[in-house]
Amino acid sequence: MENSVVIGLTGQTGAGKSTVSIELAMEGCAIIDCDVLAHRVVEQSEPCKAELAQQFGADILDEKNHLNRKLLADRAFRSSEETERLNEITHPYIWEALRKEIYALKRQKTDFIVLDAPTLLEAGGDKFCDFVMVVKAPETVRRERIIQRDHLTPEQADRRIHAQPPESFYTHHADYVLDGTKGRDALSRKVRTILRSITGGYHV
């Protein structure tokens, strides 16, 4: 293609976004894992860590100034207000790093660039995207998944789920919606269909 297409991939926690991301990668898309990017940026940015410690407690940093992510998460996901404050602090640092990564991939003339970002819409990251892809699943399914995935108690899982916007918020902003309860084959077919619809000339 002549120009890179940037696709935002998002959805509520436990919906199956990671599975869809894998399918997109298998179709040749360049994936920017914004969680990994965020972890790297926050760990390396002393000003960002200082702001977080001021907001969520100095004990989230150890004696070597390394971030205790679990403690931060426990405090930041206690309420939607705390989660919003976390995002307000970290997003400016993260988006600046993201801009640089997108620019580098565009310079390489990458066809599809996927921003795998759980808070894409809340943070306004969809401004970087040509299209937004949302993965959804029922709350009962998501709850069980994150309990197993992140070794959470049911109470911790519920706090994390309820700190996020409702499903309607995500689907309202979506150009494409995928059902995260479908099997890998069905998701793979859906991903190929979406990529074809975006370009009109995409071939697997």
Side-chain angles (χ1 to χ4, degrees):
M1 293 186 297
E2 184 177 345
N3 298 309
S4 300
V5 175
V6 180
I7 301 170
L9 175 63
T10 193
Q12 292 170 300
T13 183
K17 178 175 59 61
S18 295
T19 301
V20 173
S21 182
I22 291 169
E23 293 298 329
L24 286 162
M26 291 177 66
E27 294 300 322
C29 300
I31 309 295
I32 300 177
D33 186 327
C34 292
D35 268 347
V36 172
L37 179 83
H39 289 176
R40 185 177 74 244
V41 169
V42 172
E43 188 59 53
Q44 294 176 356
S45 172
E46 298 303 323
C48 182
K49 286 190 287 186
E51 288 190 57
L52 290 171
Q54 184 175 11
Q55 176 68 31
F56 296 105
D59 57 335
I60 66 169
L61 300 176
D62 66 16
E63 63 279 1
K64 294 183 178 180
N65 214 39
H66 294 154
L67 190 64
N68 184 329
R69 296 188 182 282
K70 185 179 186 305
L71 185 58
L72 174 62
D74 286 345
R75 294 175 181 175
F77 292 115
R78 284 181 300 200
S79 68
S80 58
E81 291 79 15
E82 295 282 15
T83 303
E84 182 178 353
R85 184 63 187 131
L86 173 71
N87 293 337
E88 287 174 351
I89 292 170
T90 58
H91 285 166
Y93 299 97
I94 295 165
W95 293 136
E96 179 59 28
L98 181 60
R99 286 188 192 95
K100 293 177 180 177
E101 291 215 14
I102 292 172
Y103 178 72
L105 287 168
K106 286 186 173 183
R107 287 283 301 271
Q108 297 170 24
K109 301 192 182 301
T110 306
D111 286 343
F112 294 100
I113 303 167
V114 176
L115 310 186
D116 182 341
T119 58
L120 179 85
L121 299 173
E122 298 95 307
D126 51 324
K127 65 190 174 190
F128 297 114
C129 303
D130 300 300
F131 300 94
V132 172
M133 190 181 297
V134 167
V135 187
K136 67 174 187 176
E139 183 174 316
T140 53
V141 172
R142 296 187 289 107
R143 186 174 183 267
E144 184 61 30
R145 284 177 175 175
I146 67 171
I147 287 173
Q148 294 181 5
R149 182 191 71 195
D150 298 333
H151 309 291
L152 303 177
T153 65
E155 292 76 16
Q156 288 173 322
D158 286 340
R159 286 200 300 269
R160 190 166 295 187
I161 286 170
H162 295 147
Q164 291 187 299
E167 181 181 280
S168 58
F169 168 80
Y170 295 88
T171 56
H172 175 74
H173 291 86
D175 297 292
Y176 302 97
V177 178
L178 294 88
D179 184 346
T181 65
K182 299 295 185 183
R184 289 291 293 270
D185 288 345
L187 285 172
S188 179
R189 289 194 296 272
K190 181 69 171 179
V191 163
R192 288 197 297 269
T193 298
I194 290 172
L195 294 178
R196 283 195 297 269
S197 74
I198 288 173
T199 66
Y202 175 81
H203 300 286
V204 295

